[in-house]
Amino acid sequence: MTGAAFAAAATSGLGLRPEDAVAATLDSGQSRFMEEATRLAIESVEKGWGGPFGAVIVKNGEIIGRGQNRVLLTGCPVYHAEVTAIIDASARLNPKALLGSEYGAGTMLQMIPRPPGSPDLVPERAQMLKGAEIYINGAPCPMCMSAIYWSRIDHLYFAASLTDTNKIGFDDAFQYEDFKRPWADRKAIKVTPNFERDIGLKAYKAWMNKKDRHPY
């Protein structure tokens, strides 16, 4: 299975069998990125900061962001490795002096055209982390997978599968499965959709009425 196939499996929520991991290998240069992600994960475990998860974001062959799970250190349930790596990369790439000035040409908010063949509905969006890759020692949970999408990262590499992760007590696979169910059939949380929809749509109208809105 190729690295691209691994990424596709993650986005579809499929847990990969441990034996599937044997066929997907990185070259020596890329392996150092997975080794660094794993080092961060082990450090998090040894220091009692959080679960065994680490991530690095790479662009042009250089690490631009590092993250590790720090849920136990902060008490914050969303302090996952992928999210913190994205925050770290963003802090490095966005000069504060440029932010807020016409949405910062030269920052991640700089607009770029949608790629050829893209199903995107708008002609331009903020570039975010377009052109970057992320390496994670384990398959991302749905929250982190969504963060990767929002970041517009080009390629996801992960080592341990959702099945591997489930075996150590982190049931990310169940969340992927729950997301496939209709709102009323979700198992983990009660959902009331379209509650006071007209009120909520006022904010959407404000966005659409903003002539200089900045898609991201």
Side-chain angles (χ1 to χ4, degrees), residues 132-155:
E133 304 168 340
I134 187 167
Y135 295 79
I136 315 164
N137 71 297
C141 73
M143 176 187 73
C144 292
M145 191 69 238
S146 182
I148 291 167
Y149 274 123
W150 277 110
S151 302
R152 305 191 69 199
I153 289 171
D154 285 356
H155 201 132

PDB file of all heavy atoms in Angstrom, residues 132-155:
ATOM      1  N   ALA A 132       2.638  21.764   1.999  1.00  0.00           N
ATOM      2  CA  ALA A 132       3.283  21.102   3.143  1.00  0.00           C
ATOM      3  C   ALA A 132       2.806  19.653   3.279  1.00  0.00           C
ATOM      4  O   ALA A 132       1.786  19.260   2.713  1.00  0.00           O
ATOM      5  CB  ALA A 132       3.003  21.869   4.428  1.00  0.00           C
ATOM      6  N   GLU A 133       3.562  18.892   4.056  1.00  0.00           N
ATOM      7  CA  GLU A 133       3.217  17.518   4.398  1.00  0.00           C
ATOM      8  C   GLU A 133       3.172  17.398   5.914  1.00  0.00           C
ATOM      9  O   GLU A 133       3.824  18.165   6.618  1.00  0.00           O
ATOM     10  CB  GLU A 133       4.288  16.547   3.862  1.00  0.00           C
ATOM     11  CG  GLU A 133       4.544  16.647   2.373  1.00  0.00           C
ATOM     12  CD  GLU A 133       5.793  15.877   1.951  1.00  0.00           C
ATOM     13  OE1 GLU A 133       6.648  15.607   2.833  1.00  0.00           O
ATOM     14  OE2 GLU A 133       5.914  15.552   0.765  1.00  0.00           O
ATOM     15  N   ILE A 134       2.407  16.438   6.417  1.00  0.00           N
ATOM     16  CA  ILE A 134       2.387  16.174   7.854  1.00  0.00           C
ATOM     17  C   ILE A 134       2.708  14.702   8.096  1.00  0.00           C
ATOM     18  O   ILE A 134       2.206  13.826   7.383  1.00  0.00           O
ATOM     19  CB  ILE A 134       1.042  16.576   8.501  1.00  0.00           C
ATOM     20  CG1 ILE A 134       1.125  16.456  10.028  1.00  0.00           C
ATOM     21  CG2 ILE A 134      -0.123  15.776   7.936  1.00  0.00           C
ATOM     22  CD1 ILE A 134      -0.039  17.122  10.758  1.00  0.00           C
ATOM     23  N   TYR A 135       3.560  14.463   9.070  1.00  0.00           N
ATOM     24  CA  TYR A 135       3.969  13.109   9.464  1.00  0.00           C
ATOM     25  C   TYR A 135       3.507  12.883  10.903  1.00  0.00           C
ATOM     26  O   TYR A 135       3.818  13.684  11.791  1.00  0.00           O
ATOM     27  CB  TYR A 135       5.487  12.957   9.374  1.00  0.00           C
ATOM     28  CG  TYR A 135       6.029  13.076   7.976  1.00  0.00           C
ATOM     29  CD1 TYR A 135       6.204  14.322   7.379  1.00  0.00           C
ATOM     30  CD2 TYR A 135       6.382  11.941   7.241  1.00  0.00           C
ATOM     31  CE1 TYR A 135       6.703  14.439   6.090  1.00  0.00           C
ATOM     32  CE2 TYR A 135       6.890  12.046   5.952  1.00  0.00           C
ATOM     33  CZ  TYR A 135       7.034  13.302   5.379  1.00  0.00           C
ATOM     34  OH  TYR A 135       7.533  13.421   4.099  1.00  0.00           O
ATOM     35  N   ILE A 136       2.766  11.809  11.120  1.00  0.00           N
ATOM     36  CA  ILE A 136       2.193  11.512  12.430  1.00  0.00           C
ATOM     37  C   ILE A 136       2.498  10.060  12.766  1.00  0.00           C
ATOM     38  O   ILE A 136       2.404   9.178  11.897  1.00  0.00           O
ATOM     39  CB  ILE A 136       0.667  11.727  12.434  1.00  0.00           C
ATOM     40  CG1 ILE A 136       0.291  13.047  11.745  1.00  0.00           C
ATOM     41  CG2 ILE A 136       0.117  11.686  13.845  1.00  0.00           C
ATOM     42  CD1 ILE A 136      -1.169  13.134  11.373  1.00  0.00           C
ATOM     43  N   ASN A 137       2.824   9.778  14.013  1.00  0.00           N
ATOM     44  CA  ASN A 137       3.159   8.398  14.361  1.00  0.00           C
ATOM     45  C   ASN A 137       1.928   7.505  14.465  1.00  0.00           C
ATOM     46  O   ASN A 137       2.046   6.284  14.552  1.00  0.00           O
ATOM     47  CB  ASN A 137       3.962   8.338  15.665  1.00  0.00           C
ATOM     48  CG  ASN A 137       3.123   8.657  16.879  1.00  0.00           C
ATOM     49  OD1 ASN A 137       2.616   9.775  17.004  1.00  0.00           O
ATOM     50  ND2 ASN A 137       2.976   7.707  17.783  1.00  0.00           N
ATOM     51  N   GLY A 138       0.728   8.089  14.431  1.00  0.00           N
ATOM     52  CA  GLY A 138      -0.499   7.307  14.446  1.00  0.00           C
ATOM     53  C   GLY A 138      -1.562   7.967  13.592  1.00  0.00           C
ATOM     54  O   GLY A 138      -1.525   9.179  13.355  1.00  0.00           O
ATOM     55  N   ALA A 139      -2.522   7.198  13.112  1.00  0.00           N
ATOM     56  CA  ALA A 139      -3.596   7.739  12.285  1.00  0.00           C
ATOM     57  C   ALA A 139      -4.348   8.837  13.035  1.00  0.00           C
ATOM     58  O   ALA A 139      -4.639   8.689  14.222  1.00  0.00           O
ATOM     59  CB  ALA A 139      -4.566   6.623  11.891  1.00  0.00           C
ATOM     60  N   PRO A 140      -4.666   9.943  12.387  1.00  0.00           N
ATOM     61  CA  PRO A 140      -5.320  11.053  13.074  1.00  0.00           C
ATOM     62  C   PRO A 140      -6.757  10.745  13.463  1.00  0.00           C
ATOM     63  O   PRO A 140      -7.466  10.031  12.745  1.00  0.00           O
ATOM     64  CB  PRO A 140      -5.262  12.192  12.053  1.00  0.00           C
ATOM     65  CG  PRO A 140      -5.181  11.515  10.739  1.00  0.00           C
ATOM     66  CD  PRO A 140      -4.393  10.254  10.970  1.00  0.00           C
ATOM     67  N   CYS A 141      -7.177  11.301  14.585  1.00  0.00           N
ATOM     68  CA  CYS A 141      -8.583  11.221  14.981  1.00  0.00           C
ATOM     69  C   CYS A 141      -9.393  12.131  14.043  1.00  0.00           C
ATOM     70  O   CYS A 141      -8.828  12.946  13.309  1.00  0.00           O
ATOM     71  CB  CYS A 141      -8.753  11.644  16.436  1.00  0.00           C
ATOM     72  SG  CYS A 141      -8.586  13.428  16.716  1.00  0.00           S
ATOM     73  N   PRO A 142     -10.713  12.042  14.051  1.00  0.00           N
ATOM     74  CA  PRO A 142     -11.514  12.879  13.152  1.00  0.00           C
ATOM     75  C   PRO A 142     -11.289  14.379  13.361  1.00  0.00           C
ATOM     76  O   PRO A 142     -11.292  15.134  12.388  1.00  0.00           O
ATOM     77  CB  PRO A 142     -12.954  12.471  13.500  1.00  0.00           C
ATOM     78  CG  PRO A 142     -12.839  11.070  13.971  1.00  0.00           C
ATOM     79  CD  PRO A 142     -11.549  11.020  14.732  1.00  0.00           C
ATOM     80  N   MET A 143     -11.113  14.817  14.598  1.00  0.00           N
ATOM     81  CA  MET A 143     -10.860  16.241  14.840  1.00  0.00           C
ATOM     82  C   MET A 143      -9.584  16.686  14.140  1.00  0.00           C
ATOM     83  O   MET A 143      -9.549  17.715  13.458  1.00  0.00           O
ATOM     84  CB  MET A 143     -10.745  16.525  16.341  1.00  0.00           C
ATOM     85  CG  MET A 143     -10.385  17.971  16.661  1.00  0.00           C
ATOM     86  SD  MET A 143     -10.056  18.260  18.408  1.00  0.00           S
ATOM     87  CE  MET A 143      -8.450  17.453  18.595  1.00  0.00           C
ATOM     88  N   CYS A 144      -8.530  15.903  14.291  1.00  0.00           N
ATOM     89  CA  CYS A 144      -7.241  16.262  13.699  1.00  0.00           C
ATOM     90  C   CYS A 144      -7.274  16.112  12.188  1.00  0.00           C
ATOM     91  O   CYS A 144      -6.642  16.900  11.465  1.00  0.00           O
ATOM     92  CB  CYS A 144      -6.133  15.423  14.315  1.00  0.00           C
ATOM     93  SG  CYS A 144      -5.853  15.817  16.061  1.00  0.00           S
ATOM     94  N   MET A 145      -7.997  15.118  11.682  1.00  0.00           N
ATOM     95  CA  MET A 145      -8.133  14.972  10.239  1.00  0.00           C
ATOM     96  C   MET A 145      -8.817  16.198   9.657  1.00  0.00           C
ATOM     97  O   MET A 145      -8.423  16.712   8.599  1.00  0.00           O
ATOM     98  CB  MET A 145      -8.946  13.709   9.926  1.00  0.00           C
ATOM     99  CG  MET A 145      -8.934  13.299   8.458  1.00  0.00           C
ATOM    100  SD  MET A 145      -7.321  12.709   7.911  1.00  0.00           S
ATOM    101  CE  MET A 145      -6.993  13.835   6.565  1.00  0.00           C
ATOM    102  N   SER A 146      -9.822  16.705  10.347  1.00  0.00           N
ATOM    103  CA  SER A 146     -10.502  17.910   9.896  1.00  0.00           C
ATOM    104  C   SER A 146      -9.560  19.113   9.930  1.00  0.00           C
ATOM    105  O   SER A 146      -9.548  19.933   9.002  1.00  0.00           O
ATOM    106  CB  SER A 146     -11.724  18.182  10.778  1.00  0.00           C
ATOM    107  OG  SER A 146     -12.431  19.316  10.332  1.00  0.00           O
ATOM    108  N   ALA A 147      -8.737  19.204  10.982  1.00  0.00           N
ATOM    109  CA  ALA A 147      -7.768  20.302  11.072  1.00  0.00           C
ATOM    110  C   ALA A 147      -6.776  20.241   9.915  1.00  0.00           C
ATOM    111  O   ALA A 147      -6.362  21.279   9.377  1.00  0.00           O
ATOM    112  CB  ALA A 147      -7.027  20.245  12.405  1.00  0.00           C
ATOM    113  N   ILE A 148      -6.407  19.030   9.505  1.00  0.00           N
ATOM    114  CA  ILE A 148      -5.488  18.860   8.384  1.00  0.00           C
ATOM    115  C   ILE A 148      -6.150  19.341   7.092  1.00  0.00           C
ATOM    116  O   ILE A 148      -5.527  20.012   6.262  1.00  0.00           O
ATOM    117  CB  ILE A 148      -5.034  17.395   8.281  1.00  0.00           C
ATOM    118  CG1 ILE A 148      -4.130  17.037   9.471  1.00  0.00           C
ATOM    119  CG2 ILE A 148      -4.317  17.124   6.964  1.00  0.00           C
ATOM    120  CD1 ILE A 148      -3.885  15.553   9.646  1.00  0.00           C
ATOM    121  N   TYR A 149      -7.415  19.014   6.919  1.00  0.00           N
ATOM    122  CA  TYR A 149      -8.150  19.511   5.756  1.00  0.00           C
ATOM    123  C   TYR A 149      -8.183  21.037   5.745  1.00  0.00           C
ATOM    124  O   TYR A 149      -7.915  21.674   4.720  1.00  0.00           O
ATOM    125  CB  TYR A 149      -9.585  18.986   5.775  1.00  0.00           C
ATOM    126  CG  TYR A 149      -9.801  17.626   5.162  1.00  0.00           C
ATOM    127  CD1 TYR A 149     -10.362  16.600   5.911  1.00  0.00           C
ATOM    128  CD2 TYR A 149      -9.469  17.361   3.837  1.00  0.00           C
ATOM    129  CE1 TYR A 149     -10.589  15.348   5.360  1.00  0.00           C
ATOM    130  CE2 TYR A 149      -9.691  16.116   3.276  1.00  0.00           C
ATOM    131  CZ  TYR A 149     -10.258  15.115   4.032  1.00  0.00           C
ATOM    132  OH  TYR A 149     -10.477  13.883   3.482  1.00  0.00           O
ATOM    133  N   TRP A 150      -8.560  21.633   6.884  1.00  0.00           N
ATOM    134  CA  TRP A 150      -8.665  23.089   6.958  1.00  0.00           C
ATOM    135  C   TRP A 150      -7.324  23.758   6.679  1.00  0.00           C
ATOM    136  O   TRP A 150      -7.266  24.879   6.160  1.00  0.00           O
ATOM    137  CB  TRP A 150      -9.192  23.509   8.326  1.00  0.00           C
ATOM    138  CG  TRP A 150     -10.679  23.448   8.446  1.00  0.00           C
ATOM    139  CD1 TRP A 150     -11.414  22.562   9.197  1.00  0.00           C
ATOM    140  CD2 TRP A 150     -11.635  24.283   7.799  1.00  0.00           C
ATOM    141  NE1 TRP A 150     -12.752  22.792   9.048  1.00  0.00           N
ATOM    142  CE2 TRP A 150     -12.922  23.866   8.189  1.00  0.00           C
ATOM    143  CE3 TRP A 150     -11.531  25.356   6.918  1.00  0.00           C
ATOM    144  CZ2 TRP A 150     -14.085  24.467   7.736  1.00  0.00           C
ATOM    145  CZ3 TRP A 150     -12.709  25.961   6.459  1.00  0.00           C
ATOM    146  CH2 TRP A 150     -13.962  25.518   6.867  1.00  0.00           C
ATOM    147  N   SER A 151      -6.246  23.072   7.024  1.00  0.00           N
ATOM    148  CA  SER A 151      -4.908  23.635   6.824  1.00  0.00           C
ATOM    149  C   SER A 151      -4.445  23.522   5.379  1.00  0.00           C
ATOM    150  O   SER A 151      -3.420  24.093   5.015  1.00  0.00           O
ATOM    151  CB  SER A 151      -3.909  22.925   7.737  1.00  0.00           C
ATOM    152  OG  SER A 151      -4.288  23.044   9.081  1.00  0.00           O
ATOM    153  N   ARG A 152      -5.152  22.752   4.576  1.00  0.00           N
ATOM    154  CA  ARG A 152      -4.850  22.568   3.158  1.00  0.00           C
ATOM    155  C   ARG A 152      -3.492  21.899   2.948  1.00  0.00           C
ATOM    156  O   ARG A 152      -2.793  22.159   1.968  1.00  0.00           O
ATOM    157  CB  ARG A 152      -4.932  23.900   2.406  1.00  0.00           C
ATOM    158  CG  ARG A 152      -6.274  24.608   2.588  1.00  0.00           C
ATOM    159  CD  ARG A 152      -6.443  25.768   1.654  1.00  0.00           C
ATOM    160  NE  ARG A 152      -6.579  25.301   0.274  1.00  0.00           N
ATOM    161  CZ  ARG A 152      -6.375  26.086  -0.791  1.00  0.00           C
ATOM    162  NH1 ARG A 152      -5.974  27.335  -0.630  1.00  0.00           N
ATOM    163  NH2 ARG A 152      -6.544  25.610  -2.001  1.00  0.00           N
ATOM    164  N   ILE A 153      -3.115  21.068   3.893  1.00  0.00           N
ATOM    165  CA  ILE A 153      -1.880  20.284   3.776  1.00  0.00           C
ATOM    166  C   ILE A 153      -2.019  19.305   2.605  1.00  0.00           C
ATOM    167  O   ILE A 153      -3.077  18.704   2.413  1.00  0.00           O
ATOM    168  CB  ILE A 153      -1.600  19.553   5.100  1.00  0.00           C
ATOM    169  CG1 ILE A 153      -1.164  20.574   6.167  1.00  0.00           C
ATOM    170  CG2 ILE A 153      -0.557  18.467   4.941  1.00  0.00           C
ATOM    171  CD1 ILE A 153      -1.060  20.013   7.563  1.00  0.00           C
ATOM    172  N   ASP A 154      -0.936  19.157   1.836  1.00  0.00           N
ATOM    173  CA  ASP A 154      -1.003  18.355   0.615  1.00  0.00           C
ATOM    174  C   ASP A 154      -0.964  16.850   0.843  1.00  0.00           C
ATOM    175  O   ASP A 154      -1.581  16.087   0.097  1.00  0.00           O
ATOM    176  CB  ASP A 154       0.175  18.715  -0.308  1.00  0.00           C
ATOM    177  CG  ASP A 154      -0.027  20.052  -1.006  1.00  0.00           C
ATOM    178  OD1 ASP A 154      -1.094  20.664  -0.848  1.00  0.00           O
ATOM    179  OD2 ASP A 154       0.903  20.490  -1.714  1.00  0.00           O
ATOM    180  N   HIS A 155      -0.206  16.402   1.844  1.00  0.00           N
ATOM    181  CA  HIS A 155       0.011  14.958   1.985  1.00  0.00           C
ATOM    182  C   HIS A 155       0.111  14.588   3.458  1.00  0.00           C
ATOM    183  O   HIS A 155       0.788  15.258   4.228  1.00  0.00           O
ATOM    184  CB  HIS A 155       1.321  14.561   1.275  1.00  0.00           C
ATOM    185  CG  HIS A 155       1.405  13.107   0.925  1.00  0.00           C
ATOM    186  ND1 HIS A 155       1.778  12.650  -0.323  1.00  0.00           N
ATOM    187  CD2 HIS A 155       1.182  11.989   1.663  1.00  0.00           C
ATOM    188  CE1 HIS A 155       1.767  11.330  -0.343  1.00  0.00           C
ATOM    189  NE2 HIS A 155       1.409  10.898   0.860  1.00  0.00           N
TER     190      HIS A 155
END
